[in-house]
Amino acid sequence: MDGEISKLTIEEKSSCQILTPQTTVKLLDSVDVFLFDCDGVIWKGDVLIDGVSETLDTLRAMGKKLVFVTNNSTKSRKQYAKKFRSLGISVSEDEIFSSSFAAAMYLKVNEFPKEKKVYVIGEEGILEELELAGFTGLGGPEDGKKTVQLKANYLFEHDENVGAVIVGLDQYINFYKLQYGTLCIRENPGCLFIATNRDAVGHLTDLQEWPGAGCMVAAICGTTQKEPIVVGKPSTFLMDFLLQKFNVPTSRMCMVGDRLDTDILFGQNAGCRTLLVISGVTKVSDLVDPSNHILPEYLTNTLSDVVRLLHD
Amino acid sequence: MDGEISKLTIEEKSSCQILTPQTTVKLLDSVDVFLFDCDGVIWKGDVLIDGVSETLDTLRAMGKKLVFVTNNSTKSRKQYAKKFRSLGISVSEDEIFSSSFAAAMYLKVNEFPKEKKVYVIGEEGILEELELAGFTGLGGPEDGKKTVQLKANYLFEHDENVGAVIVGLDQYINFYKLQYGTLCIRENPGCLFIATNRDAVGHLTDLQEWPGAGCMVAAICGTTQKEPIVVGKPSTFLMDFLLQKFNVPTSRMCMVGDRLDTDILFGQNAGCRTLLVISGVTKVSDLVDPSNHILPEYLTNTLSDVVRLLHD
């Protein structure tokens, strides 16, 4: 075991199992479905992490189901599949679970009436997934340039047939959209308020973090004084959906991620196995920090260890 | 006692004192400073409420100090004085306590260094008050048209000399401002996060409500995961400030307002007398609704009753 991980104390090592040839066999034997967080596990920004492609091929050859989970709602599954291809990995749309897809699936699973409309504070990905699922979306990028006029006798009108407002990351957020979404939630009887996720910030560029969907979602909570239904991580909606799809108990799924408070906690809450890779944001020093109380079941440097160790 | 108020049950009447010639004398004898909420008490939108002008003149003639309190941060005290004049009331800037002024006073009282800068997510009123108090404001309306480019190697830069971010109602809210404010609060050591107020919505036009400062403040809470210092109602910063200014105990102040959960609760929390007028958003039916647990000390139809009843 190389690098940072070797610095763990015996006590820390005993609380989570570091991948060795033996524990890797144990992990692979106990898991039918691998759930992967993308950024920090599969890629970093626009660069593929070493050995990922071969690892995914080997896992597939072993009959494992693979699911790629991302809270970023700006892209649809189709757009994500394109990103995978551009990095040289072949992933089918069916294997991708983005929070944009999750939002559309939430409506489908809950039999949202097709004649109702959905207002979107968010980007193209959500609108695409809504359309694919047969729903009518309004708003999104198109409303990014609209303005309001705060003058006497001006009435801001909204569509009374909107039965759900979906809020995700929106770099074109404005007062028009905030008012539109607020009016739908406050005035349309039974209107749902769905959040793709509540991440505070995200690495939208390689050099820094930017406001995440948690920013836009909080803004709508602030005006409506209502709490949203969250469909991305760490909500367990994904698990309920996968249970139906694969008919595999969560105890035979493994969540692989680079964040303790989202990925690992999410996996633990759902009753999955968990594997932390330190190729992303979490460092070993974060893991052993006294303030951290989230320990993964398994720990390794990078995803490719899962296959490399089998041949050691 | 006319209209709606006469429908109160004996029990409800006994919990709050309805203004009569007798209780009016008692109220006036016990109060040196009247604090008025504006919208719903003094005016409705751009229309003065009947009898307000004469009532204010009479109260002044009786030696009462008057303070006009508004959570709306889009205007400065100077701009509010202009609005009062346009409605035919002479009010000096000194008598106005807007949340824009409160934000500047908070910095002054807390000896915010003059060489530091203040980033504003909000409108002209805040920038004007900052300038009058001798502080350097950035942002505000000027940043309303700025955009960001989410591409590789792009670094969004912010001024490291920003020592406070003030967030108020901002109809030109955008991703640029959200990122700027977030970076200052997250990355500039000790940077203050000040909210003018957290009102969910407000009557920005006469026909409907719009997202209030609570929307923009929540958005910044969402990205920074920090809670703001609130300087407008229901924070007691105003009271501390008035105590210093007038040297009058809060028990000899009376908060006059039309909202139970902001004005009346605010007055009660600060130890003031409270008078609810039903010329604004609260109806008698709201007051007696089983879900309401906030009862004012005094109750009347409209502000002019305070003087009219003296002559009855």
Side-chain angles (χ1 to χ4, degrees), chain B residues 10 84 97 139 225 256 258 266 290:
Chain B
I10 290 172
F84 275 98
F97 193 90
Q225 301 189 292
V256 185
D258 71 323
F266 163 68

Side-chain angles (χ1 to χ4, degrees), chain A residues 14-281:
Chain A
S14 70
S15 344
C16 51
Q17 302 179 54
I18 295 164
L19 282 196
T20 62
Q22 292 73 35
T23 55
T24 302
V25 170
K26 191 174 144 200
L27 170 65
L28 288 169
D29 281 350
S30 65
V31 170
D32 298 319
V33 180
F34 278 94
L35 313 177
F36 300 105
D37 175 47
C38 295
D39 203 27
V41 177
I42 305 294
W43 57 62
K44 281 189 109 167
D46 286 326
V47 180
L48 196 66
I49 292 176
D50 271 355
V52 161
S53 185
E54 302 76 8
T55 306
L56 298 178
D57 288 346
T58 308
L59 289 173
R60 275 210 185 88
M62 293 167 82
K64 308 299 181 192
K65 303 271 186 207
L66 311 184
V67 181
F68 301 88
V69 184
T70 170
N71 263 0
N72 187 332
S73 64
T74 60
K75 291 189 174 73
S76 62
R77 293 203 295 173
K78 192 174 171 183
Q79 292 168 310
Y80 270 110
K82 201 173 154 191
K83 169 161 186 175
F84 274 98
R85 275 197 304 276
S86 76
L87 294 173
I89 310 180
S90 173
V91 163
S92 89
E93 289 175 30
D94 266 1
E95 293 173 314
I96 299 165
F97 194 89
S98 62
S99 65
S100 53
F101 175 66
M105 283 308 103
Y106 182 88
L107 294 177
K108 195 163 186 177
V109 166
N110 289 282
E111 295 174 353
F112 183 77
K114 293 277 160 113
E115 67 275 15
K116 289 268 188 185
K117 296 174 191 166
V118 183
Y119 187 74
V120 176
I121 296 177
E123 303 194 14
E124 206 51 60
I126 300 171
L127 286 169
E128 264 193 47
E129 292 297 349
L130 284 174
E131 195 183 343
L132 285 169
F135 298 113
T136 307
L138 301 175
E142 195 179 300
D143 284 358
K145 288 186 177 168
K146 292 188 181 165
T147 55
V148 297
Q149 289 195 299
L150 296 177
K151 57 182 186 184
N153 297 317
Y154 173 64
L155 185 72
F156 184 104
E157 292 187 29
H158 73 284
D159 192 325
E160 287 171 11
N161 287 315
V162 170
V165 174
I166 297 177
V167 185
L169 175 60
D170 190 339
Q171 61 170 304
Y172 306 107
I173 186 74
N174 62 13
F175 200 63
Y176 180 96
K177 294 185 193 182
L178 292 168
Q179 171 71 335
Y180 205 110
T182 299
L183 286 177
C184 293
I185 294 169
R186 283 169 61 111
E187 299 188 2
N188 292 2
C191 183
L192 300 171
F193 170 20
I194 298 171
T196 58
N197 66 299
R198 300 193 76 163
D199 295 10
V201 290
H203 262 286
L204 304 188
T205 57
D206 46 352
L207 296 180
Q208 64 196 148
E209 289 185 319
W210 297 80
C215 176
M216 293 81 208
V217 171
I220 295 295
C221 292
T223 56
T224 61
Q225 301 189 292
K226 291 198 175 158
E227 285 298 302
I229 300 154
V230 181
V231 294
K233 291 179 284 184
S235 145
T236 54
F237 172 68
L238 162 65
M239 294 305 176
D240 301 339
F241 185 81
L242 292 178
L243 273 173
Q244 270 203 320
K245 183 174 171 182
F246 293 129
N247 199 23
V248 168
T250 53
S251 63
R252 292 196 61 80
M253 299 184 188
C254 179
M255 178 70 211
V256 185
D258 70 325
R259 286 181 193 254
L260 291 166
D261 58 349
T262 54
D263 302 323
I264 301 305
L265 188 62
F266 163 69
Q268 285 174 346
N269 285 344
C272 298
R273 324 234 76 112
T274 55
L275 168 61
L276 181 79
V277 291
I278 57 169
S279 50
V281 295

Side-chain angles (χ1 to χ4, degrees), chain B residues 18-40:
Chain B
I18 295 165
L19 282 196
T20 62
Q22 292 74 35
T23 55
T24 302
V25 170
K26 191 175 145 200
L27 170 66
L28 288 169
D29 281 350
S30 64
V31 170
D32 298 320
V33 180
F34 278 94
L35 313 176
F36 300 104
D37 175 47
C38 295
D39 203 26

Side-chain angles (χ1 to χ4, degrees), chain B residues 4-294:
Chain B
E4 281 280 286
I5 290 177
S6 63
K7 293 179 199 153
L8 289 173
T9 65
I10 290 172
E11 196 182 283
E12 285 148 7
K13 283 181 185 173
S14 71
S15 343
C16 52
Q17 302 179 55
I18 295 165
L19 282 196
T20 62
Q22 292 74 35
T23 55
T24 302
V25 170
K26 191 175 145 200
L27 170 66
L28 288 169
D29 281 350
S30 64
V31 170
D32 298 320
V33 180
F34 278 94
L35 313 176
F36 300 104
D37 175 47
C38 295
D39 203 26
V41 177
I42 306 294
W43 58 62
K44 282 189 106 166
D46 286 327
V47 180
L48 196 66
I49 292 176
D50 272 353
V52 161
S53 186
E54 301 77 7
T55 306
L56 298 178
D57 288 346
T58 307
L59 289 173
R60 275 208 185 90
M62 293 168 82
K64 308 300 181 192
K65 304 271 186 206
L66 311 185
V67 181
F68 300 88
V69 184
T70 171
N71 264 359
N72 187 331
S73 65
T74 60
K75 291 188 174 73
S76 62
R77 293 203 294 174
K78 192 174 172 183
Q79 292 169 310
Y80 270 110
K82 201 173 155 191
K83 171 161 185 173
F84 275 98
R85 276 197 304 278
S86 77
L87 294 172
I89 311 181
S90 173
V91 164
S92 88
E93 288 174 32
D94 266 0
E95 293 174 314
I96 298 165
F97 193 90
S98 62
S99 65
S100 53
F101 174 67
M105 283 309 103
Y106 181 88
L107 295 177
K108 196 164 186 176
V109 166
N110 289 282
E111 295 174 353
F112 183 77
K114 294 276 160 112
E115 66 275 17
K116 289 268 187 184
K117 296 174 191 165
V118 183
Y119 187 74
V120 176
I121 296 179
E123 303 194 13
E124 206 50 60
I126 300 171
L127 286 169
E128 264 193 48
E129 292 297 350
L130 284 173
E131 196 182 344
L132 285 169
F135 298 113
T136 307
L138 301 175
E142 196 178 299
D143 284 358
K145 288 186 176 167
K146 293 188 181 164
T147 55
V148 297
Q149 289 195 299
L150 296 176
K151 57 182 186 186
N153 296 318
Y154 172 66
L155 184 72
F156 185 104
E157 291 187 30
H158 72 284
D159 191 324
E160 287 171 12
N161 287 315
V162 170
V165 174
I166 297 178
V167 185
L169 175 60
D170 190 339
Q171 62 170 304
Y172 306 106
I173 187 74
N174 62 15
F175 200 63
Y176 180 96
K177 294 185 192 182
L178 291 168
Q179 171 71 336
Y180 204 110
T182 300
L183 285 177
C184 293
I185 294 169
R186 283 169 61 111
E187 299 189 1
N188 292 2
C191 182
L192 301 171
F193 170 19
I194 297 171
T196 59
N197 66 298
R198 301 193 76 163
D199 295 9
V201 290
H203 262 284
L204 304 188
T205 57
D206 47 351
L207 297 180
Q208 64 196 149
E209 289 183 320
W210 297 79
C215 175
M216 293 81 208
V217 171
I220 295 295
C221 292
T223 56
T224 61
Q225 301 189 292
K226 291 198 175 158
E227 285 298 302
I229 299 154
V230 181
V231 294
K233 292 178 285 184
S235 144
T236 55
F237 173 68
L238 162 65
M239 294 303 175
D240 301 338
F241 186 80
L242 291 178
L243 273 174
Q244 271 203 320
K245 183 173 173 183
F246 293 129
N247 199 23
V248 168
T250 54
S251 62
R252 292 196 61 82
M253 300 184 188
C254 178
M255 178 70 211
V256 185
D258 71 323
R259 285 181 193 255
L260 291 166
D261 58 351
T262 54
D263 302 323
I264 301 305
L265 187 62
F266 163 68
Q268 285 174 346
N269 285 344
C272 298
R273 323 233 77 112
T274 55
L275 168 61
L276 181 79
V277 291
I278 57 170
S279 51
V281 295
T282 305
K283 298 184 185 72
V284 169
S285 56
D286 299 323
L287 193 65
V288 301
D289 191 282
S291 69
N292 173 47
H293 301 291
I294 305 168

